[in-house]
Amino acid sequence: MHPTRTAFGRWRARFPASLGAKLVAILTAIGLLGAVAVTLLLALVITPSFDRLEQQAVEGHIERTRAALTEYTSKVEASVRDYGDWNESYNYMEAPNKAFEEDSFATSAMVNLGVNGMAYVTPQGRVVIARWLDIDTGKDVPAMRARMIGAIAGIDFNKALAKDNSASFYVRLGDRIAAFGIAQVRRTDGTGEPRGHVVMARLITSAQLSTLLQLDAGLERPHAVPEPTVARGEQSLRVAVPVRGEDGVPVASATYAVPRDLSALGQSMLTLAVIGTTALLLVVMAVLSLMIVRLVLRPLNRVERHMGLVRKSGNLALLTEDAPRKDEIGSLVTSFNAMLSQLKDLREQVEAQSFKLGQSESAVAVMHNVRNALNPISTVLSQGLAQPPMADKALLDRAMGELALDEVPAVRRQKLVAFLAAAFEGEVRGRGERQAQMEIGRDALHNVLEIIGKQQEQAHERPPLDTCDVTDLIARNATIARYSGASSIAFDFPSKPHWVLANRVLLSQVIGNLFSNAAEAIAATGREGGTISVKIEAHDGKVEVAIRDDGEGFDPEHAPQLFQRGFSTREHKSGGLGLHWCANSMLAMGGGLALKSDGKGHGARALLTLQHSEVMRDELAA
């Protein structure tokens, strides 16, 4: 006998012979297989999704850390560049004098610049003058001055300034870290043979880093590897980002812990989903078992007992029921009764019923970068906090004290009054500027709240479209974009309303993204400012919006790749999700997005195509 058939026979022998037992066994096996299958499916869907979200969050923290460190050194470099390209510095390096040193190295000057250390160095590397100041106390710190001079001696100025007249990097001063800015000493117009270098330094502490990152961060010993590292624990992720020095070698490590909220949420969701699905399957199996017993097995047992009674007694009595049924069991009883009464002309057709049982659940979570929308708020707050006082309080107090004296000459008194009036006027003007910046920040925050409110609506459906003024959205985002970077951006756009059919929140996000990209392209040229112009034309039922910038542009060969997920024209920038998302959003609104450029250095053009609002067109015509 074949061994496989023998094993199958033994299995059939052990399988229950009762129909009820078989159905219970089959339902139990289906329930177990279903629970295992659902568990595996949920594990394959939920866990990788939350792991990806966690990885994206970590990458976002790393990029934000790099940006904060770069911005910190850039501010020092901007200050040192002003001192480098200055006729006074150029003349001083030719003939050092006490008056320049007392003026430029004064405590108030260094406090206004926001630097701890300053020094002038000859082309041969000799330090002409150096000072280190504790900004909080206004006192000199000789020990830190000596460390700064030692660090200056180790700087290769020719290598650091090979590509530009200024540079910035981080330097370790003993157990402390400072952002160094160096620049060549030239005339104000940038001419003349450099007569040396000017150096500025600004300490960065763990508290300052924590404020920049809005995290509990710290600065530790030099980073072991040149790339960021992530140590994964059960409750948190330990992120370490290298703080790079002059030659790119890390001098310290910016470290902080990020709680693994997404991973924990994913595990919780997986556990709850498995428990809920298993419980649901158990309940369904129990209900099916009870219903099968009540609706199928018990009536069949009654028919079987009645057939046994007929067989034993020969009495063709009809099988009676208290409440006649109209399902398959009722048809069976009717047929059985018809057979017993020998009524061949009674036939019943068994109604077929089909039941569809299906379960389908899908969870869609779509979260994308409001980093551009939040960036203007941070910039407005930073600029407001960084604004120095319009006049030194000590000078104001001294002026007030002199005015109180009767023997002050009239000419001196007039000058003091003019000085106080100018100081008060500057304070009022500064307060007005801060008020205007806070209003812009409020508008940007309102824009963020609208984005978050609309983020989870109708993830798989076309967004609701209504009539909106694209000119108003451009003006609103232009105002916010002026504060999205260090460069000064001039905007030019029409004032006439242009009505389009679109989703107002999505269209505002797309325009804000394009303005942010244009501002980054302008900053990449190294210029201090640039221009973004917008032109709007309507024809053939469409409205075309052309956004042109004078930034760095891109190679036309890269145009087909710009909308691919993760692609970026700049090597230092990762991501590329903004244009990918913008293109998909425009398609969802029945429009389109195209990017064009004449090549590197020739700027770029973003072309938005939108539907013209027929409702507004009819109202305007009427």
Side-chain angles (χ1 to χ4, degrees):
M1 182 178 294
H2 198 279
T4 304
R5 294 181 179 177
T6 303
F8 181 73
R10 289 197 297 269
W11 177 81
R12 288 191 61 185
R14 289 195 298 269
F15 198 78
S18 170
L19 177 60
K22 288 180 180 179
L23 290 175
V24 171
I26 292 173
L27 289 175
T28 302
I30 292 175
L32 292 176
L33 291 176
V36 172
V38 170
T39 300
L40 292 176
L41 179 61
L42 293 175
L44 292 174
V45 172
I46 294 178
T47 302
S49 298
F50 278 89
D51 289 344
R52 285 194 297 270
L53 290 175
E54 183 180 75
Q55 182 62 30
Q56 292 173 1
V58 171
E59 292 174 356
H61 282 294
I62 292 175
E63 288 302 319
R64 191 157 60 89
T65 303
R66 286 173 171 168
L69 293 173
T70 301
E71 181 183 3
Y72 198 83
T73 57
S74 297
K75 292 180 178 179
V76 179
E77 183 178 354
S79 299
V80 79
R81 189 186 298 116
D82 291 340
Y83 267 60
D85 292 340
W86 189 23
N87 289 339
E88 298 292 335
S89 296
Y90 195 74
N91 296 332
Y92 172 77
M93 292 301 292
E94 181 182 17
N97 57 87
K98 203 69 174 177
F100 178 84
E101 294 174 356
E102 291 177 353
D103 184 31
S104 300
F105 282 76
T107 299
S108 59
M110 295 181 67
V111 170
N112 289 335
L113 289 172
V115 297
N116 299 95
M118 288 179 57
Y120 278 88
V121 185
T122 66
Q124 294 76 27
R126 182 177 62 84
V127 177
V128 179
I129 183 174
R131 186 186 182 189
W132 189 275
L133 176 71
D134 187 337
I135 298 179
D136 295 331
T137 62
K139 296 181 179 179
D140 290 332
V141 185
M144 292 300 297
R145 174 179 174 274
R147 291 177 181 175
M148 180 180 70
I149 294 175
I152 292 174
I155 297 176
D156 187 347
F157 287 92
N158 293 330
K159 181 179 178 181
L161 300 175
K163 297 181 179 180
D164 201 354
N165 68 310
S166 64
S168 59
F169 44 83
Y170 286 93
V171 175
R172 176 174 287 278
L173 301 177
D175 58 346
R176 310 189 75 176
I177 304 299
F180 265 44
I182 62 175
Q184 294 177 336
V185 177
R186 307 182 303 180
R187 292 191 180 95
T188 303
D189 58 3
T191 62
E193 184 68 22
R195 291 179 174 174
H197 304 89
V198 59
V199 180
M200 291 186 182
R202 181 184 182 186
L203 286 176
I204 182 171
T205 62
S206 297
Q208 290 172 320
L209 185 61
S210 300
T211 301
L212 291 174
L213 301 179
Q214 297 299 306
L215 291 171
D216 186 10
L219 290 169
E220 299 183 358
R221 61 181 56 190
H223 205 63
V225 294
E227 298 298 330
T229 60
V230 180
R232 300 180 182 274
E234 293 184 1
Q235 302 296 330
S236 63
L237 300 171
R238 190 69 178 177
V239 181
V241 180
V243 180
R244 303 189 184 279
E246 172 193 359
D247 52 359
V249 177
V251 299
S253 177
T255 61
Y256 47 86
V258 179
R260 303 193 66 178
D261 296 334
L262 290 174
S263 179
L265 179 60
Q267 293 295 329
S268 300
M269 286 188 63
L270 178 60
T271 302
L272 291 176
V274 170
I275 293 175
T277 304
T278 303
L280 179 61
L281 286 174
L282 292 177
V283 171
V284 171
M285 294 300 104
V287 172
L288 285 176
S289 299
L290 291 176
M291 298 306 296
I292 288 174
V293 170
R294 179 179 176 183
L295 299 178
V296 178
L297 297 181
R298 288 180 182 175
L300 288 179
N301 289 333
R302 288 188 66 235
V303 173
E304 183 182 7
R305 290 196 301 270
H306 191 78
M307 290 179 64
L309 179 61
V310 170
R311 185 176 62 252
K312 291 181 180 180
S313 63
N315 185 4
L316 299 178
L318 299 179
L319 179 60
T320 59
E321 293 181 310
D322 297 335
R325 298 173 53 173
K326 298 181 180 180
D327 55 9
E328 288 83 356
I329 299 298
S331 299
L332 176 62
V333 172
T334 302
S335 299
F336 180 66
N337 289 333
M339 181 189 64
L340 293 177
S341 62
Q342 300 292 316
L343 299 177
K344 297 181 180 180
D345 56 331
L346 297 178
R347 294 180 180 179
E348 293 184 358
Q349 297 180 351
V350 179
E351 299 178 354
Q353 299 181 356
S354 62
F355 301 90
K356 295 182 179 180
L357 180 61
Q359 299 178 352
S360 173
E361 291 182 349
S362 77
V364 178
V366 178
M367 300 295 295
H368 177 70
N369 90 314
V370 277
R371 61 182 180 186
N372 292 336
L374 287 175
N375 188 41
I377 301 175
S378 176
T379 303
V380 168
L381 295 178
S382 299
Q383 290 182 356
L385 294 175
Q387 286 184 357
M390 301 304 297
D392 189 10
K393 185 177 183 302
L395 293 177
L396 294 175
D397 293 339
R398 191 171 67 184
M400 295 292 291
E402 287 189 32
L403 284 175
L405 300 176
D406 296 332
E407 61 272 13
V408 176
V411 175
R412 176 62 176 173
R413 183 178 299 276
Q414 291 177 355
K415 290 183 179 180
L416 290 175
V417 171
F419 169 74
L420 291 175
F424 291 150
E425 181 181 356
E427 182 64 23
V428 171
R429 183 172 60 255
R431 185 176 301 173
E433 291 175 355
R434 286 191 294 272
Q435 178 68 25
Q437 290 178 346
M438 293 304 293
E439 290 177 357
I440 294 173
R442 180 190 61 191
D443 292 341
L445 182 59
H446 183 266
N447 188 28
V448 173
L449 294 176
E450 283 189 336
I451 294 172
I452 295 174
K454 292 290 184 178
Q455 192 67 42
Q456 296 180 342
E457 293 184 2
Q458 301 178 351
H460 291 298
E461 299 178 1
R462 290 177 64 89
L465 306 181
D466 53 8
T467 297
C468 57
D469 182 11
V470 67
T471 305
D472 178 67
L473 296 179
I474 290 172
R476 178 178 177 181
N477 282 278
T479 303
I480 297 174
R482 290 191 177 97
Y483 291 86
S484 62
S487 301
S488 175
I489 307 297
F491 280 86
D492 180 22
F493 54 89
S495 59
K496 177 184 176 182
H498 290 82
W499 302 99
V500 297
L501 191 62
N503 183 282
R504 185 174 61 84
V505 175
L506 288 181
L507 182 56
S508 178
Q509 289 181 260
V510 171
I511 294 173
N513 251 321
L514 295 177
F515 280 172
S516 177
N517 289 344
E520 290 179 1
I522 292 173
T525 62
R527 305 195 310 270
E528 295 182 356
T531 302
I532 299 176
S533 61
V534 182
K535 184 177 180 181
I536 305 175
E537 295 182 351
H539 54 80
D540 298 332
K542 298 290 185 180
V543 175
E544 292 186 355
V545 180
I547 302 175
R548 181 188 296 270
D549 66 75
D550 57 356
E552 63 176 351
F554 58 88
D555 190 341
E557 295 180 357
H558 290 158
Q561 300 174 276
L562 291 176
F563 300 109
Q564 294 179 3
R565 178 185 291 270
F567 182 83
S568 177
T569 58
R570 289 185 282 278
E571 297 179 357
H572 67 279
K573 182 179 179 182
S574 63
L577 290 177
L579 289 177
H580 176 79
W581 178 87
C582 289
N584 288 340
S585 297
M586 291 302 299
L587 289 176
M589 292 186 291
L593 171 61
L595 291 177
K596 297 182 180 180
S597 176
D598 296 331
K600 283 284 188 177
H602 296 282
R605 302 183 305 279
L607 304 177
L608 291 172
T609 303
L610 295 160
Q611 302 180 52
H612 196 287
S613 176
E614 298 292 338
V615 175
M616 187 57 63
R617 179 192 299 175
D618 296 340
E619 290 182 2
L620 292 176

